[in-house]
Amino acid sequence: MKKSVLFILSLFMAAGFFSCNNSENSKNGDRGALASSAAEKTYVAPGEHDEFYAFISGGFSGQLSVYGLPSGRLLKVIPVFSQDAEKAWGYNEETKPMLNTSHGFVPWDDAHHPDISQTNGKLDGRWVFINGNNTPRIAKIDLTTFETTEIIEVPNSAGNHSSSFVTENTEYVVAGTRFSVPVPQRDMPIKDYKGNFKGSLTFISVDPEEGHMDIKFQLMMPGFDYDLSHPGRGKSHGWFFFSTYNTEEANSLLEVNASQNDKDFIAAVNWKKIEEYVNNGGGKTMPANYAHNVYDEDTHTATSTMKKEVLVVDPLEVPGAVFLLPTPKSPHGCDVDPTGEYIIGNGKLSADLTIHSFTKMMDAIENEKFDGEAYGIPILKFEDVLAGTVKQAGLGPLHTEFDGEGNGYTSFFISSEVVKWKVETQEVIDRKPAYYSVGHVMIPGGNSAEPFGKYVIAMNKITKDRYLPTGPEVTHSAQLYDISGEKMELLLDFPTIGEPHYAAGIPADIIKPNSKKIFKLDENKHKHATLNNGDARVERDGNEVHVYMTMIRSHFTPDNIEGIKVGDKVYFHVTNHEQDYDVPHGISMIGANTSELLIMPGQTETFVWEPKQPGVWPFYCTDFCSALHQEMQGYVRVSPADSDIELSWSLGED
């Protein structure tokens, strides 16, 4: 234990040395660059478009933010796992089902790792997937609308962290558990963790046309912690690689007890072999309870279905499907280069980068060069799968992305820097400071077969003294570096929404041509849509009242409603009749225990209002839509519960 503590202390002392060097480099190098050309390189003139989209996770905000690169301009916050009053996400009746889980309505999650769909290993710009880490979920965002259209809960999982990464033809999106748990869940002593808890690796199939998700199988692994993952590509297509820590299977004081083994593992999973096994009837169906939520863009409405079983696979039943690659202790990142040959697995407490070879791995498997087993899974010999080591590259290596030119870019958390190195020779080429404690880095397409290079973004955990102070909570940030030359150049840093955990970047030209501008009114299949003004009406069913309303610049139909009573539950079903791009409308009702609605052209949305007292109460448009926006308003008269006033509604009538 003393040795572990001394080792960690030595790392932090060395971090001070690296930080001093970084500060000196910043004074001597970066400041001059920033004063000369950096501003020009990030400047996007008014009316011009950025070259790249960057989808940056919001971490504990539960959302996904869209930025333009190189400007760093925030374009949109996409609601995913958390309620969002701006979009009425999780507030309106249409999207509430998207936040349903086996634990009930859960309007928050910890969103970490976005990944863009791929075809032949290249980004195709159809969908972005992102994980909910806390209540295990995977979400899919449609990039024609930039809206979340599907969320599937992941059973038998906890801390859904090594997610949501896709195979090179988006056959699967993978959800790996961070915390191992009893499977199935049951009441048992925590001290009996070892040998009894399981780690599940879930492979979720993705329909190649519509993107519909479904759990294909869950691989039940030993009770380690599964941290990050990436798919094989090219020569290693058909494999998936997961970093592990806590191979000690400790359940307390993990900062010490989970750092006892000299090495942990990268789990190499041959999903092609398991897929064949499952397709031929392999695996066992076990009871499960998880929500599958789907948003239909024709009806503009989500539905939630509770599923009751899942197919599980024991790795010992599929010989040759799973192997363990020893990796320096407590690895975090697990990254695969564009060729699929090199698997990077870095111990967080190391100063070196460890590079495994897929070719050597396959040779070791073929020749059974094993060094024991863990719960029946063969452990390969470290030396037999090692391609090389980048010596003394920095302190606290975490994550690596690639530029397509044979270079890797690795984040070092403790020494707060981004390091560029040559993959084939393991030679350090350049290093630049980050401010401060960088986590993930992202190069557009940098985890695909064809990276686009040009920029790397560092996503930092700490920003003290970088921005105007905002009290105890300091903004998080991303920093943009130019990597077009041999040496990196810091161009820009910009605040982000929530914690910028990871990001996915793609050229704008891949997405822009497919971006939907309106919803066609004649294709609106919402069951409460009002497609003609003449159909606007108010109907009572007991104490439920349904208002079928239309909106267009600059009025609501109807705009005056009477006959509502205290104790009624009033549903406003509102259809935006605009068919011009960029003309949404909003609606808000005084006292409604929900958010406003922001309704896109051709769309229908619903909110509920339960009036508590008699009076005449206004509603109005919340999105500035025209010169007469202020005049876009109406009234609802609320009478006592025992009133005999009949329902009536009007537009422009006394």
Side-chain angles (χ1 to χ4, degrees):
M1 179 172 174
K2 288 182 178 178
K3 287 184 179 180
S4 297
V5 172
L6 288 172
F7 177 65
I8 293 171
L9 285 174
S10 70
L11 286 178
F12 279 97
M13 290 174 64
F17 172 75
F18 271 82
S19 296
C20 289
N21 284 347
N22 286 344
S23 298
E24 197 63 33
N25 289 341
S26 177
K27 290 176 183 176
N28 295 338
D30 289 339
R31 185 171 294 171
L34 288 170
S36 58
S37 63
E40 294 177 7
K41 291 181 179 180
T42 63
Y43 179 69
V44 178
E48 293 186 2
H49 291 176
D50 280 282
E51 184 178 359
F52 293 94
Y53 285 104
F55 299 91
I56 301 182
S57 68
F60 46 70
S61 79
Q63 314 292 40
L64 181 64
S65 299
V66 186
Y67 293 83
L69 297 182
S71 73
R73 298 182 296 198
L74 176 63
L75 304 176
K76 182 174 183 176
V77 176
I78 302 174
V80 185
F81 300 114
S82 297
Q83 288 179 299
D84 184 341
E86 179 187 352
K87 318 290 190 312
W89 178 260
Y91 288 101
N92 64 24
E93 298 303 296
E94 286 76 14
T95 58
K96 282 181 182 177
M98 293 297 285
L99 301 181
N100 191 36
T101 75
S102 62
H103 305 277
F105 182 76
V106 180
W108 174 82
D109 217 311
D110 189 14
H112 277 202
H113 304 119
D115 205 15
I116 299 172
S117 56
Q118 300 183 13
T119 301
N120 297 324
K122 305 172 188 178
L123 304 188
D124 59 29
R126 294 185 293 167
W127 308 296
V128 171
F129 302 89
I130 190 167
N131 60 319
N133 191 31
N134 185 67
T135 304
R137 289 175 274 186
I138 296 291
K140 183 189 78 210
I141 293 94
D142 185 335
L143 290 181
T144 66
T145 58
F146 284 64
E147 291 184 350
T148 304
T149 56
E150 193 169 5
I151 297 178
I152 190 167
E153 189 180 1
V154 183
N156 300 323
S157 180
N160 174 36
H161 195 255
S162 49
S163 319
S164 50
F165 301 102
V166 303
T167 54
E168 67 176 0
N169 285 297
T170 321
E171 297 98 336
Y172 295 99
V173 55
V174 171
T177 191
R178 173 182 167 192
F179 309 112
S180 289
V181 293
V183 178
Q185 274 286 12
R186 59 195 181 276
D187 179 17
M188 64 175 292
I190 298 173
K191 67 179 179 62
D192 294 338
Y193 176 121
K194 192 168 186 175
N196 292 308
F197 284 29
K198 295 290 185 183
S200 64
L201 306 179
T202 304
F203 284 73
I204 300 170
S205 62
V206 181
D207 179 83
E209 297 300 324
E210 301 299 327
H212 182 79
M213 298 189 295
D214 198 13
I215 294 177
K216 179 78 170 182
F217 62 85
Q218 290 189 316
L219 187 64
M220 287 297 155
M221 295 286 285
F224 310 148
D225 289 48
Y226 297 82
D227 205 1
L228 260 295
S229 64
H230 269 99
R233 54 182 58 95
K235 63 174 65 180
S236 56
H237 176 62
W239 290 81
F240 223 102
F241 303 93
F242 299 81
S243 65
T244 74
Y245 66 98
N246 191 25
T247 52
E248 298 86 352
E249 296 181 82
N251 61 71
S252 179
L253 291 176
L254 263 64
E255 70 272 24
V256 174
N257 294 326
S259 298
Q260 298 302 304
N261 293 340
D262 182 53
K263 290 182 174 63
D264 288 301
F265 302 119
I266 285 177
V269 175
N270 187 331
W271 60 262
K272 278 283 192 183
K273 186 178 285 287
I274 299 173
E275 178 186 64
E276 181 181 7
Y277 169 76
V278 167
N279 288 343
N280 287 323
K284 296 179 181 178
T285 299
M286 69 173 288
N289 191 34
Y290 61 100
H292 188 184
N293 310 325
V294 179
Y295 182 84
D296 187 317
E297 289 190 11
D298 292 327
T299 64
H300 305 170
T301 303
T303 55
S304 180
T305 304
M306 295 304 300
K307 297 198 169 182
K308 298 300 182 183
E309 61 183 25
V310 67
L311 186 70
V312 299
V313 174
D314 181 342
L316 301 188
E317 294 176 353
V318 195
V322 183
F323 299 90
L324 300 175
L325 284 61
T327 297
K329 69 171 66 178
S330 300
H332 188 43
C334 180
D335 303 287
V336 181
D337 86 309
T339 69
E341 170 62 18
Y342 299 112
I343 304 115
I344 318 300
N346 307 314
K348 294 195 297 284
L349 304 180
S350 173
D352 300 335
L353 302 183
T354 300
I355 308 167
H356 299 293
S357 164
F358 178 75
T359 300
K360 288 187 174 183
M361 183 192 89
M362 294 304 293
D363 179 74
I365 291 170
E366 184 178 349
N367 292 288
E368 299 185 354
K369 296 179 181 179
F370 302 147
D371 191 15
E373 50 84 19
Y375 294 100
I377 300 173
I379 300 171
L380 303 178
K381 290 184 178 179
F382 178 70
E383 295 78 10
D384 289 335
V385 297
L386 185 67
T389 303
V390 183
K391 294 290 187 181
Q392 300 295 311
L395 293 176
L398 294 184
H399 305 285
T400 301
E401 297 240 327
F402 305 91
D403 62 5
E405 301 294 331
N407 303 307
Y409 297 74
T410 300
S411 57
F412 287 82
F413 179 80
I414 297 175
S415 52
S416 292
E417 59 186 332
V418 180
V419 174
K420 176 181 178 180
W421 52 279
K422 183 68 70 176
V423 175
E424 286 290 343
T425 64
Q426 295 94 51
E427 171 194 6
V428 172
I429 299 171
D430 191 24
R431 64 178 72 244
K432 282 291 183 291
Y435 303 99
Y436 306 93
S437 299
V438 58
H440 278 275
V441 292
M442 183 276 284
I443 293 171
N447 66 343
S448 71
E450 289 194 7
F452 298 96
K454 197 161 187 178
Y455 302 110
V456 63
I457 288 183
M459 284 151 280
N460 306 323
K461 307 299 183 186
I462 299 173
T463 59
K464 58 186 178 185
D465 76 27
R466 295 297 288 178
Y467 302 101
L468 286 172
T470 53
E473 183 187 5
V474 181
T475 183
H476 289 270
S477 80
Q479 293 188 291
L480 181 72
Y481 299 81
D482 182 344
I483 60 171
S484 58
E486 183 179 12
K487 300 294 183 180
M488 294 179 284
E489 180 185 2
L490 176 61
L491 300 180
L492 179 71
D493 55 358
F494 54 94
T496 58
I497 302 293
E499 179 208 9
H501 196 86
Y502 183 50
I506 186 172
D509 288 345
I510 295 178
I511 292 178
K512 278 196 303 184
N514 301 318
S515 185
K516 185 173 289 189
K517 293 180 169 58
I518 65 169
F519 295 97
K520 293 181 180 178
L521 193 60
D522 59 7
E523 295 177 359
N524 185 335
K525 302 296 191 299
H526 193 293
K527 66 178 180 179
H528 296 302
T530 305
L531 303 182
N532 300 291
N533 278 341
D535 294 329
R537 64 198 185 277
V538 184
E539 297 178 347
R540 177 178 290 281
D541 181 9
N543 71 334
E544 279 192 6
V545 177
H546 292 265
V547 178
Y548 295 87
M549 180 177 284
T550 68
M551 53 184 6
I552 199 165
R553 287 167 289 186
S554 294
H555 62 265
F556 298 97
T557 305
D559 64 358
N560 287 308
I561 301 170
E562 299 191 23
I564 304 297
K565 303 175 186 179
V566 172
D568 282 344
K569 193 170 187 178
V570 185
Y571 291 82
F572 285 81
H573 309 291
V574 189
T575 303
N576 182 348
H577 276 203
E578 303 286 357
Q579 290 291 266
D580 290 334
Y581 183 36
D582 195 27
V583 192
H585 290 296
I587 182 170
S588 178
M589 185 76 217
I590 186 170
N593 188 21
T594 183
S595 73
E596 54 90 47
L597 298 183
L598 186 65
I599 310 173
M600 297 301 112
Q603 197 170 35
T604 299
E605 292 187 8
T606 301
F607 75 92
V608 177
W609 178 52
E610 298 184 60
K612 300 294 191 294
Q613 54 186 304
V616 179
W617 307 106
F619 58 89
Y620 66 99
C621 179
T622 53
D623 187 32
F624 206 102
C625 54
S626 72
L628 297 176
H629 164 73
Q630 292 293 96
E631 286 74 14
M632 192 169 174
Q633 64 184 57
Y635 288 100
V636 177
R637 176 185 174 186
V638 178
S639 301
D642 59 358
S643 169
D644 58 2
I645 296 175
E646 295 294 325
L647 281 179
S648 63
W649 59 95
S650 64
L651 174 67
E653 300 172 13
D654 294 331

